[in-house]
Amino acid sequence: MLFFAVFLLFSILVLRLGELQIVFGDDFKREIERTEDVTVSNPVPRGRMLDRTGRVIVDNTPLNAITYTKYSDTTTEEMLKTAEKLAKLIDLDSSKVTERDKKDFWILIHPEKAKKKITENEWDLFEQKKLDDDKIYDLQLDRITEEDLNSLTPQELEVCAIWREMNSGYALSPQIVKNKDVTPEEFAAVSENLESLPGVDTTTDWDRSYVFGDTLRSILGEVSSSASGLPKDQLETYLAKGYSRNDRVGKSYLELKYEDVLHGEKAKVKNVTDKTGKVLSTEVISEGQRGKDLVLTIDMDLQAQVDKIIEEEMWKAKQSPNTGLMDRAFVVLMDPNTGEVLAMSGKQIVKNSETGKQEMRDYAQGNITTSYNVGSAVKGATILTGYKTGAIQPGSTQKDEPLVIKNTPVKKSWKTFGTINDLRALQVSSNVYMWKTVIAMAHGQYIPNGPLVLDTDTAFDTMRKTFSEFGLGIRTGIDLPNEMSGFPGSEEKPGLLLDLAIGQYDTYTPIQLAQYVSTIANGGNRIQPHLVKQIREPSTDNNELGPIVKEIQPKVLNHLDMKDEWINRVKEGFRMVFQVGDGTGVSYWKSAPYNPAGKTGTAEAFYDGSDKSKRGTEVWNISLVSFAPFDNPEVAMAVVVPWAYQGSGPSINHTIGRRIMDAYFDLKNARQNAPSTADPVVDQNAEGTTVETTE
């Protein structure tokens, strides 16, 4: 019986082995030989930014870098040994090591001590599967003391810093361990010891460099670091697009707006691994391509001069009385026919936290992110709204006199002008003419010492809708994120309607003023301003530009629903402001050889700056809009100086504006008269460019 039982069991074993080998043999063989293809994308340098003449503004600076690639079969102990070896070859700052990093590392290098942090009862619960690995690990973390962490030596902390970087990436994706301040000695030492440093490699990385320093810095934007990687609030969006968590991306302004263009096409590498995760072979699928280049509309020679002029005039003005709260100024120069922004400058005076001294910083983004009462600069829109509604006609006269309204302080112009027409009203900046125009528009009638009864609901809507046709009070559409539309006043009282007519109620951004004056200068087209002129393929030769991928064409957002003769009449009024008689800008502009036109603005406002103790103080905002030449405008300008002074002060809007407009034409003439050595890299827009119209 025993012999028979043994025979039967062996027979069953033989049959089973036969079944496994004959029936399922091929399946098991395939399983053993099974491989997996894992494709990894490696980042490439970002595209450059250049000015309209082809000079590089933003570039990539090559950096020596040390990377680590973690393989699927790499153990924690192997990573630790590699980190310890690497720590002997390089210096890595350990200041970024967090308390949690230290605790993780302490557990890693003191496994027995970490095990003793758990009680016998807790280990029993673990054996009974009432506590899992994660819970045990959390208990260990909680019970690590300050004394435990303080026992880590400086050498161990450096190993921790390296191990932290090595452990932060994905499997098979190279992770940067160090790319800043890698010395030639460190680079050479690591390169010579790669055989004993599994996963470690030496390569070339890049960092964003800004050729012109802080010039236009806030508009160019920021790029995240490899350490910070993707922004948390957009993590899922970027991951869905194929980004890796540690990819560097644009965080603000142009870098963010044109991220898809600047990011480039990643290099793709296919790793073939076996079932244990061991890499059997590596194949380059595509080499990748540096990001495309942006050619901006900005002229950096002009931009630099604009920056310098603003700084000089602000420091000079700060020497005058009553200017203690003035801390910023903005200028936008653009081509009124194409919307190309030629220069965009903003400067802000701030206190250096280290030295305690005041210094000037770039604040160009304030042209689109801050808004102010701009005063009489908007009176061109008020006159045209009067024409459109029939409240006045070209040539209509009104008596400029103090307005005495019941229960209201006397309202008057800065000077009493008597009977004047629309052109004269613009020339001398008559408030009363604007108020009487708006009163007629609101179906009211001025009666001395009587109440002012107006149809304010309709009038406010009409005024704001018409102003928006010029770009006032709405976003201009500039190719930058975070543009604000300004703030409309919340109440609709008769007196506030009068304030709206002279720019002392709703607030507008400097870029809106530039679009507004451009709309008048070009004859009624509201052009979308833009900072990018061309998108080009990357070039292998840094001294040349690649082929054009896209040319940004002018886009008309709307056309003023007004007669050409009306627009031309307001333009004539603007010319008189700068060139005729007692125009408010004559003393500063009449001598200009380029036939300028424009409008000044002064607005009563309240300080709202960084000095909280002074907020609410009554101040004056001053502004200026202009274009030139009058008969064939090629450049439009907006100047805004908020909180310029209290009571009275210097006309810094005029001095800034005149010097900048002079600089524009001086630069143009110098280039035209310079000996021609080669064709420009990027041609200026020619006249007659086809524009795209969007109602």
Side-chain angles (χ1 to χ4, degrees):
M1 292 291 292
L2 181 62
F3 176 80
F4 180 75
V6 172
F7 174 77
L8 182 61
L9 290 173
F10 269 100
S11 298
I12 293 172
L13 179 61
V14 170
L15 290 173
R16 181 57 179 160
L17 289 173
E19 180 188 27
L20 292 175
Q21 184 172 356
I22 298 171
V23 178
F24 299 106
D26 290 340
D27 292 339
F28 286 116
K29 183 178 180 181
R30 282 193 295 271
E31 178 65 19
I32 292 173
E33 296 175 350
R34 178 174 64 85
T35 61
E36 184 177 358
D37 294 344
V38 180
T39 301
V40 176
S41 297
N42 295 328
V44 294
R46 291 176 73 80
R48 302 177 299 167
M49 296 186 200
L50 307 96
D51 84 339
R52 65 187 300 116
T53 67
R55 288 183 302 171
V56 175
I57 303 173
V58 184
D59 205 347
N60 302 304
T61 301
L63 300 172
N64 286 334
I66 297 166
T67 65
Y68 177 76
T69 303
K70 180 181 178 181
Y71 298 102
S72 302
D73 60 342
T74 302
T75 65
T76 303
E77 290 73 17
E78 290 172 337
M79 285 181 60
L80 178 59
K81 289 181 181 179
T82 301
E84 289 172 344
K85 292 178 182 178
L86 195 55
K88 297 176 181 178
L89 303 176
I90 67 173
D91 291 324
L92 190 64
D93 182 16
S94 61
S95 61
K96 293 183 179 180
V97 174
T98 65
E99 181 178 321
R100 174 57 191 266
D101 294 328
K102 294 178 183 178
K103 288 184 176 182
D104 289 331
F105 188 71
W106 188 90
I107 292 174
L108 179 64
I109 63 175
H110 299 105
E112 292 303 321
K113 290 182 180 179
K115 190 174 181 179
K116 292 179 181 178
K117 297 287 184 182
I118 307 300
T119 66
E120 291 185 6
N121 182 52
E122 288 166 342
W123 281 122
D124 290 340
L125 292 174
F126 177 73
E127 293 295 333
Q128 298 170 24
K129 299 191 182 300
K130 293 182 180 180
L131 291 178
D132 58 16
D133 290 327
D134 291 340
K135 183 59 179 176
I136 291 293
Y137 194 77
D138 288 340
L139 291 172
Q140 289 175 324
L141 290 173
D142 290 340
R143 293 167 185 173
I144 295 175
T145 65
E146 284 294 325
E147 184 180 355
D148 293 330
L149 296 182
N150 291 335
S151 69
L152 294 173
T153 66
Q155 292 76 19
E156 288 175 330
L157 286 176
E158 187 172 17
V159 174
C160 177
I162 294 173
W163 175 78
R164 172 180 180 266
E165 298 300 331
M166 293 168 60
N167 203 39
S168 61
Y170 292 104
L172 302 180
S173 295
Q175 172 67 26
I176 292 175
V177 175
K178 183 178 181 181
N179 64 352
K180 295 289 180 67
D181 302 321
V182 177
T183 66
E185 293 77 14
E186 288 177 331
F187 195 80
V190 174
S191 299
E192 293 171 359
N193 290 274
L194 290 179
E195 289 186 3
S196 62
L197 297 168
V200 176
D201 197 4
T202 51
T203 185
T204 300
D205 192 34
W206 56 271
D207 194 14
R208 220 56 170 145
S209 62
Y210 300 88
V211 179
F212 291 86
D214 289 337
T215 302
L216 208 64
R217 189 71 176 80
S218 62
I219 288 296
L220 298 174
E222 299 284 344
V223 176
S224 64
S225 66
S226 56
S228 61
L230 302 179
K232 292 181 180 179
D233 59 338
Q234 296 177 290
L235 181 62
E236 297 302 325
T237 300
Y238 279 118
L239 291 177
K241 292 181 179 180
Y243 284 72
S244 299
R245 289 178 182 269
N246 61 346
D247 277 350
R248 281 166 282 185
V249 297
K251 296 196 300 182
S252 59
Y253 297 100
L254 284 174
E255 293 278 15
L256 172 60
K257 181 69 175 180
Y258 289 92
E259 167 62 28
D260 291 344
V261 173
L262 293 168
H263 189 67
E265 298 178 10
K266 291 184 176 183
K268 295 184 182 296
V269 178
K270 183 172 72 174
N271 295 290
V272 180
T273 64
D274 63 16
K275 61 182 297 184
T276 66
K278 182 179 180 180
V279 176
L280 302 176
S281 64
T282 299
E283 176 186 351
V284 177
I285 299 176
S286 63
E287 295 288 346
Q289 187 179 56
R290 176 173 64 81
K292 294 180 176 62
D293 294 333
L294 298 182
V295 176
L296 305 187
T297 61
I298 297 290
D299 183 328
M300 289 305 287
D301 281 338
L302 181 61
Q303 179 72 39
Q305 291 194 49
V306 171
D307 284 353
K308 181 182 178 182
I309 290 168
I310 294 177
E311 289 190 17
E312 290 177 350
E313 292 299 328
M314 285 185 70
W315 288 127
K316 181 180 177 182
K318 291 289 284 184
Q319 304 304 312
S320 301
N322 306 324
T323 59
L325 296 178
M326 182 183 67
D327 70 346
R328 62 193 66 188
F330 305 99
V331 172
V332 177
L333 279 175
M334 61 186 283
D335 184 331
N337 304 299
T338 66
E340 294 183 0
V341 178
L342 307 176
M344 178 183 285
S345 181
K347 293 293 176 179
Q348 184 177 23
I349 298 174
V350 297
K351 181 181 289 187
N352 187 301
S353 59
E354 296 181 358
T355 65
K357 296 181 179 179
Q358 288 188 325
E359 60 184 25
M360 199 80 70
R361 75 167 188 181
D362 178 70
Y363 194 32
Q365 81 269 26
N367 283 287
I368 69 167
T369 61
T370 62
S371 64
Y372 309 93
N373 299 120
V374 297
S376 300
V378 305
K379 286 179 178 175
T382 302
I383 291 291
L384 284 166
T385 304
Y387 294 156
K388 183 177 180 180
T389 59
I392 57 173
Q393 300 295 328
S396 291
T397 60
Q398 314 233 37
K399 186 177 181 180
D400 184 300
E401 59 184 341
L403 300 186
V404 183
I405 302 169
K406 186 177 181 180
N407 298 324
T408 302
V410 175
K411 300 176 75 68
K412 59 184 179 179
S413 301
W414 63 278
K415 178 181 176 181
T416 299
F417 295 101
T419 301
I420 57 176
N421 66 10
D422 48 343
L423 292 181
R424 177 72 173 155
L426 288 172
Q427 178 191 13
V428 297
S429 198
S430 167
N431 287 344
V432 174
Y433 192 98
M434 306 302 150
W435 290 331
K436 288 187 173 181
T437 298
V438 172
I439 290 171
M441 189 189 311
H443 311 294
Q445 184 177 1
Y446 168 63
I447 301 174
N449 296 304
L452 187 61
V453 180
L454 303 177
D455 180 5
T456 54
D457 290 344
T458 302
F460 267 106
D461 289 344
T462 299
M463 288 276 290
R464 285 173 173 155
K465 183 177 184 300
T466 306
F467 274 35
S468 71
E469 294 179 23
F470 296 89
L472 296 172
I474 61 173
R475 293 182 177 88
T476 65
I478 191 171
D479 51 344
L480 288 172
N482 303 325
E483 182 187 8
M484 72 176 301
S485 57
F487 294 102
S490 58
E491 297 183 275
E492 296 187 349
K493 297 178 180 179
L496 298 176
L497 179 64
L498 303 188
D499 290 341
L500 177 63
I502 61 171
Q504 303 217 52
Y505 191 42
D506 291 359
T507 65
Y508 310 113
T509 63
I511 189 67
Q512 288 174 357
L513 278 190
Q515 189 178 58
Y516 149 72
V517 72
S518 293
T519 303
I520 292 175
N522 67 35
N525 288 322
R526 183 167 76 95
I527 305 286
Q528 180 176 344
H530 57 99
L531 283 159
V532 173
K533 183 180 178 69
Q534 297 170 344
I535 299 173
R536 289 179 174 255
E537 291 286 0
S539 173
T540 55
D541 184 350
N542 283 338
N543 295 320
E544 296 181 359
L545 289 176
I548 295 177
V549 175
K550 183 178 181 180
E551 184 95 29
I552 309 301
Q553 297 296 331
K555 178 184 282 188
V556 177
L557 301 176
N558 61 266
H559 184 80
L560 296 180
D561 183 19
M562 298 174 184
K563 296 179 181 179
D564 290 345
E565 63 185 86
W566 297 349
I567 300 171
N568 289 334
R569 189 164 179 84
V570 169
K571 289 172 67 175
E572 172 60 19
F574 278 19
R575 186 190 70 83
M576 293 171 63
V577 171
F578 276 12
Q579 299 189 45
V580 177
D582 56 352
T584 55
V586 166
S587 60
Y588 292 93
W589 293 89
K590 186 175 182 179
S591 62
Y594 38 79
N595 197 13
K599 185 72 188 75
T600 55
T602 306
E604 293 182 80
F606 296 98
Y607 175 74
D608 189 30
S610 58
D611 188 345
K612 295 181 180 179
S613 66
K614 298 294 180 62
R615 287 181 182 174
T617 302
E618 291 187 4
V619 290
W620 291 90
N621 297 342
I622 55 178
S623 63
L624 173 76
V625 294
S626 63
F627 58 88
F630 166 74
D631 49 355
N632 186 25
E634 64 180 67
V635 61
M637 177 176 63
V639 180
V640 179
V641 186
W643 320 320
Y645 47 78
Q646 298 166 255
S648 62
S651 299
I652 184 176
N653 52 338
H654 281 295
T655 54
I656 287 176
R658 174 62 195 268
R659 287 187 63 189
I660 287 175
M661 199 66 89
D662 286 352
Y664 170 84
F665 284 99
D666 288 346
L667 181 61
K668 176 187 174 183
N669 293 334
R671 286 174 173 169
Q672 288 177 340
N673 296 328
S676 178
T677 56
D679 293 333
V681 178
V682 182
D683 293 329
Q684 304 288 327
N685 276 336
E687 290 186 23
T689 302
T690 303
V691 297
E692 177 185 347
T693 303
T694 302
E695 292 297 340

